Amino acid sequence: MNKTLHQPLGGNEMPRFGGIATMMRLPHITDLKGLDVGFIGIPLDIGTSLRSGTRFGPREIRCQSVMIRPYNMATGAAPFDSLSIADIGDVAINTFNLLDAVKIIEEHYDNVLKHNIIPLTLGGDHTLTLPILRAMHKKHGKVGLIHVDAHADVNDNMFGEKIAHGTTFRRAQEEGLLDSKRVVQIGLRAQGYEADDFDWSRKQGFRVVQAEECWHKSLAPLMAEVREQVQGGPVYLSFDIDGIDPAWAPGTGTPEVGGLTTIQALEIIRGCKGLDLIGGDLVEVSPPYDTTGNTALLGANLLYEMLCVLPGVKTK
């Protein structure tokens, strides 16, 4: 069966400030048959611990994606020439019950993965990655993980709750969702409650790259090492926008100084080329804390870069 290669709506077909707000002005499609990649929004922020507002993240990321054009002039990637890609809408979460929302997200991704679609998720707070990983595990078994974040998100609980945006990867590890020797966390920084807060990850076999190890340097050499570590199986990419320094990404719920640059963010994602990426997310964009829209703009571009490194993407 011939696949339909959907194209972003061009700026000469409809002004970029006009039209319906979909990711990259792609068609909004609910019939998932034949799609290779689907952009999915999860407007969730009831798992946050400081500043809310990430429920507005998916909508603002879509709005800020209007300037993104089909061809990646840096890498030569031409995703729309080889993959069938569309915006497949938002998950209808229960915004009054976090545990029910988590269940709804998992079931939604179960259905998406039945169609062999690679999901790229617009968040939403980082709680959402846990149900996605649960769905991924049913299809792929244990997965490798590249996790970019200011925080390890391995708290045992938050206010006594086992599920929240700061417990995601402890729960994922405890539930056997991760191939722990193929997990890398990049950009961790700031303060902790205990001196060994990041050591829980290390004890699981994760590689932890603190932000200070990334200062004043290209991350291309690091990503060569990361590819060597995580290759050989399915890999999921989870990118918390607060991994970037708030100078570039102020619109987030838990900003931490001393973070990665936008250039390093591009190097990390481009450095994933060649891996068996089965999905990715860009989370914790909180538009109320960024009047410029630049945080969502960065988020939209990072999602496009994820698209460009997926398996099957051709280069010009």
Side-chain angles (χ1 to χ4, degrees), residues 85-286:
I85 306 159
D87 189 323
I88 58 177
D90 284 357
V91 180
I93 63 160
N94 180 346
T95 197
F96 302 106
N97 186 314
L98 180 58
L99 295 183
D100 191 42
V102 166
K103 177 176 177 288
I104 291 167
I105 294 167
E106 181 179 350
E107 291 173 349
H108 188 96
Y109 279 74
D110 285 340
N111 181 57
V112 169
L113 295 177
K114 285 179 183 176
H115 290 86
N116 295 318
I117 292 171
I118 297 176
L120 294 178
T121 301
L122 294 63
D125 76 60
H126 221 156
T127 312
L128 63 84
T129 305
L130 177 60
I132 294 174
L133 289 173
R134 286 171 173 170
M136 290 287 179
H137 181 261
K138 291 178 216 173
K139 183 176 179 66
H140 299 284
K142 290 189 177 185
V143 302
L145 173 72
I146 298 173
H147 170 209
V148 184
D149 204 323
H151 313 98
D153 292 350
V154 293
N155 294 311
D156 185 39
N157 66 81
M158 301 184 79
F159 279 94
E161 298 295 329
K162 291 290 190 178
I163 303 293
H165 75 159
T167 69
T168 296
F169 298 104
R170 181 176 286 238
R171 297 290 90 79
Q173 174 67 358
E174 290 174 346
E175 293 178 19
L177 310 180
L178 303 176
D179 183 354
S180 57
K181 297 299 184 183
R182 296 195 303 117
V183 175
V184 181
Q185 296 182 301
I186 303 172
L188 308 191
R189 60 187 187 275
Q191 306 80 34
Y193 292 105
E194 304 287 345
D196 61 352
D197 267 4
F198 295 159
D199 288 343
W200 188 90
S201 292
R202 295 184 175 101
K203 290 174 182 176
Q204 311 310 305
F206 302 176
R207 178 174 181 178
V208 174
V209 183
Q210 292 182 223
E212 289 79 3
E213 300 175 58
C214 303
W215 287 357
H216 313 300
K217 65 178 69 170
S218 167
L219 296 190
L222 169 65
M223 291 311 297
E225 297 174 5
V226 170
R227 285 195 303 276
E228 183 69 23
Q229 178 178 344
V230 305
Q231 67 183 351
V235 179
Y236 188 83
L237 174 58
S238 186
F239 203 117
D240 188 323
I241 202 71
D242 72 26
I244 309 301
D245 192 273
W248 288 278
T252 191
T254 48
E256 305 281 7
V257 302
L260 305 174
T261 69
T262 58
I263 294 171
Q264 290 174 320
L266 293 173
E267 288 181 316
I268 290 170
I269 297 178
R270 292 175 182 176
C272 294
K273 180 68 175 177
L275 296 175
D276 181 17
L277 284 177
I278 56 172
D281 60 54
L282 189 289
V283 300
E284 298 287 357
V285 170
S286 185

